[in-house]
Amino acid sequence: MSFLRLLQHRAADGARSVILAEDDDAHFLEGVTSTRELALRAIAAGQTLEAAARGCGAGASVDIAAEYEKGHLIAPIDHEDPAHLLLTGTGLTHLGSAEGRDKMHKAAASGENVTDSMRMFLEGLEGGKPAAGSVGQQPEWFYKGDGSQLVGPGEAFTMPSFAQDGGEEPELAGIYVIGDDGTPYRLGLAIANEFSDHVTERHNYLWLAHSKLRQASIGPELMIGELPGHIEGTSRILRGGETIWEKPFLSGEANMSHSFGNLEHHHFKYDLFRRAGDVHVHFFGTATLSFSDGIQTQEGDLFEITAAPFTLPVSNTLTRAEERAITVKAL
């Protein structure tokens, strides 16, 4: 099965273009400079994104791996006004290991440690994949920021000076554009690192909102067309060039307690998320964290996430912002 991917390219002189990749072949598309532009063109023409891409003239062939190494591949979606790109996500959506599920069910059955998180997880197992035409259980939801918080697939993460942790979250992200009539259109999926502060979150679950106000990164490839139900990848952390932690992760609907459609419904049911022309990057959650294995990240650590059928990684180095005094002035 072939997997079509769209990539955004920025040359050394700043000129932008879009690449269509299929299996090992890739070429520039003529007459289009951004994925969003291509998507809006497809919506206006009543076409699929694939048809719109194939309808562009085929430009020169390109080696996307070489362009990635040169730093010429940027996030596969963006907006010229970052305020019109929203980063959001859902949690407690993945099944995790059979052992973990068994422990949760046994604890719930015994009435021990039935936390809000556990109840939400079990409710998702029960009602996260509703029948067609039905509305399922709503998931946990969080806001991460606008387009200013989306960093490129090879750029550095900058955690705030006050952050207690900078931890990776290997995920899939759905990419969306809102049509002129307010209809959300899913363009496809990208692999992602939904970077978070797990120490802050663990201190008190009501601090989840604070812990999620962090940058995030998505891989350079936007998978379009038919999407696989099962995706298997690897998340690793390198320190000084050596791997200090590595673990496989699973995603895709086959490994989730919620369907994409249910998660999308509970996000886009809000009018403010259906503003014409806006871009949404929505993270679908994970069950695999180095933090759960006792890893404490350090400045300079490199996060690297890979997952077939994506051919390129999302790779980000951890840095910390300088402390700044914030003073509110009365007018």
Side-chain angles (χ1 to χ4, degrees):
M1 180 179 180
S2 295
F3 292 98
L4 292 176
R5 292 102 65 207
L6 291 174
L7 304 90
Q8 292 196 128
H9 183 276
R10 184 170 57 208
D13 63 0
R16 289 177 50 134
S17 51
V18 178
I19 297 169
L20 177 64
E22 183 172 10
D23 298 327
D24 295 329
D25 299 321
H27 61 267
F28 289 103
L29 298 180
E30 295 183 343
V32 64
T33 60
S34 75
T35 302
R36 178 174 174 272
E37 176 189 351
L38 181 65
L40 292 176
R41 184 183 301 179
I43 294 169
Q47 296 178 300
T48 65
L49 189 55
E50 176 182 347
R54 294 195 186 280
C56 295
S61 296
V62 57
D63 182 339
I64 59 173
E67 294 304 300
Y68 179 83
E69 292 298 323
K70 294 175 185 176
H72 290 169
L73 298 181
I74 60 177
I77 190 70
D78 57 3
H79 195 294
E80 59 187 13
D81 180 354
H84 287 277
L85 188 155
L86 296 180
L87 302 178
T88 57
T90 53
L92 301 172
T93 55
H94 280 63
L95 300 176
S97 68
E99 179 185 6
R101 293 200 305 276
D102 184 59
K103 287 180 179 178
M104 291 184 77
H105 280 291
K106 286 180 179 178
S110 68
E112 298 174 0
N113 301 318
V114 184
T115 64
D116 287 340
S117 295
M118 184 185 298
R119 281 193 289 268
M120 185 168 289
F121 175 80
L122 295 176
E123 288 171 357
L125 284 178
E126 179 69 24
K129 292 184 175 179
S134 300
V135 175
Q137 181 68 31
Q138 67 179 1
E140 174 194 59
W141 181 95
F142 55 82
Y143 172 72
K144 288 191 67 66
D146 63 17
S148 66
Q149 297 298 95
L150 183 62
V151 304
E155 297 177 353
F157 277 141
T158 304
M159 59 180 173
S161 61
F162 53 80
Q164 298 185 63
D165 173 55
E168 87 299 332
E169 295 204 12
E171 307 191 11
L172 292 179
I175 310 300
Y176 306 85
V177 167
I178 310 301
D180 287 342
D181 63 352
T183 300
Y185 290 86
R186 186 203 304 141
L187 310 188
L189 298 177
I191 57 170
N193 189 340
E194 192 268 293
F195 182 65
S196 299
D197 186 334
H198 301 107
V199 172
T200 292
E201 178 186 352
R202 176 163 288 186
H203 175 79
N204 187 316
Y205 192 72
L206 295 179
W207 285 358
L208 172 72
H210 291 280
S211 75
K212 292 297 186 181
L213 287 174
R214 300 291 187 270
Q215 294 178 333
S217 181
I218 56 178
E221 299 165 288
L222 171 62
M223 185 191 303
I224 66 174
E226 186 177 353
L227 304 175
H230 172 84
I231 289 181
E232 184 170 350
T234 301
S235 179
R236 61 178 59 89
I237 300 176
L238 292 87
R239 182 174 296 164
E242 300 291 331
T243 299
I244 64 165
W245 178 86
E246 181 173 342
K247 202 166 191 176
F249 70 93
L250 300 176
S251 197
E253 285 190 332
N255 301 295
M256 295 171 62
S257 54
H258 289 261
S259 64
F260 289 155
N262 190 52
L263 299 178
E264 291 166 345
H265 166 79
H266 287 294
H267 176 67
F268 291 111
K269 67 185 180 184
Y270 295 101
D271 291 346
L272 76 163
F273 295 147
R274 299 194 307 275
R275 185 170 53 191
D278 279 8
V279 169
H280 290 252
V281 177
H282 193 68
F283 301 94
F284 288 131
T286 188
T288 305
L289 305 171
S290 66
F291 182 76
S292 299
D293 291 338
I295 299 297
Q296 180 65 54
T297 60
Q298 300 177 7
E299 293 174 58
D301 286 353
L302 176 68
F303 304 113
E304 184 178 83
I305 297 169
T306 57
F310 299 97
T311 65
L312 299 173
V314 53
S315 181
N316 307 95
T317 301
L318 180 61
T319 66
R320 183 183 290 271
E322 293 184 6
E323 186 173 354
R324 294 177 55 195
I326 304 300
T327 302
V328 176
K329 297 181 178 179
L331 286 179

